Amino acid sequence: MRRIALVTLVVDDYDEAIRFYTEALGFRLAEDAPRPDGSRWVVVEPSAGAPGTALLLARAKNDDERGRVGDQTGGRVGFFLHTDDFARDHTRMRAAGVTFLEEPRHEPYGTVAVFRDLYGNRWDLLQPAS
């Protein structure tokens, strides 16, 4: 079976990124291992054992990579976080300090609201229509 297992997200700092993704978004820290070059292999995932894509949090190593932090998709929504309970997750995320850029809206494809992550990348919180 083929699937996209990991997507790299360039970050400024491993520990602040881990805190944001685990505490504010409720992800699980799946891996955090040192590498010989001084970097770390850090993987966070939305749910333990659920099929889907995890994030590899990669600390920027140079000016080019630092320039991409927070704008990896040119200002477009680049990440889509599905939920089975929009109201629950929206309320919890707001209480944890997540910045939503709009009020929730109901679309033919589901309930959605755009939010920014710690670095400014845009995400959709989305409960697909049944």
Side-chain angles (χ1 to χ4, degrees):
M1 177 186 324
R2 294 176 151 187
R3 71 180 180 93
I4 296 174
L6 292 172
V7 172
T8 299
L9 189 67
V10 182
V11 301
D12 280 331
D13 180 84
Y14 292 118
D15 294 322
E16 73 178 2
I18 290 169
R19 271 190 305 280
F20 177 81
Y21 286 98
T22 60
E23 294 174 13
L25 297 191
F27 283 27
R28 180 184 88 84
L29 179 62
E31 294 182 64
D32 185 356
R35 298 181 46 89
D37 65 358
S39 66
R40 289 158 57 185
W41 183 263
V42 177
V43 176
V44 294
E45 60 188 9
S47 300
T53 304
L55 295 176
L56 173 64
L57 304 178
R59 187 182 62 207
K61 294 187 268 186
N62 56 48
D63 288 341
D64 285 340
E65 290 181 12
R66 279 186 287 280
R68 302 288 184 201
V69 173
D71 190 28
Q72 294 186 154
T73 60
R76 294 183 60 113
V77 171
F79 306 95
F80 301 82
L81 183 59
H82 281 198
T83 178
D84 61 356
D85 188 334
F86 183 92
R88 174 199 65 211
D89 290 337
H90 184 259
T91 299
R92 187 191 58 73
M93 290 167 63
R94 284 180 49 125
V98 174
T99 301
F100 279 84
L101 303 177
E102 63 183 6
E103 291 301 314
R105 64 187 197 283
H106 302 284
E107 300 289 347
Y109 55 84
T111 303
V112 63
V114 177
F115 69 92
R116 281 194 309 240
D117 70 11
L118 174 65
Y119 299 107
N121 294 300
R122 291 172 180 250
W123 290 67
D124 270 358
L125 176 63
L126 174 63
Q127 181 175 352
S130 347

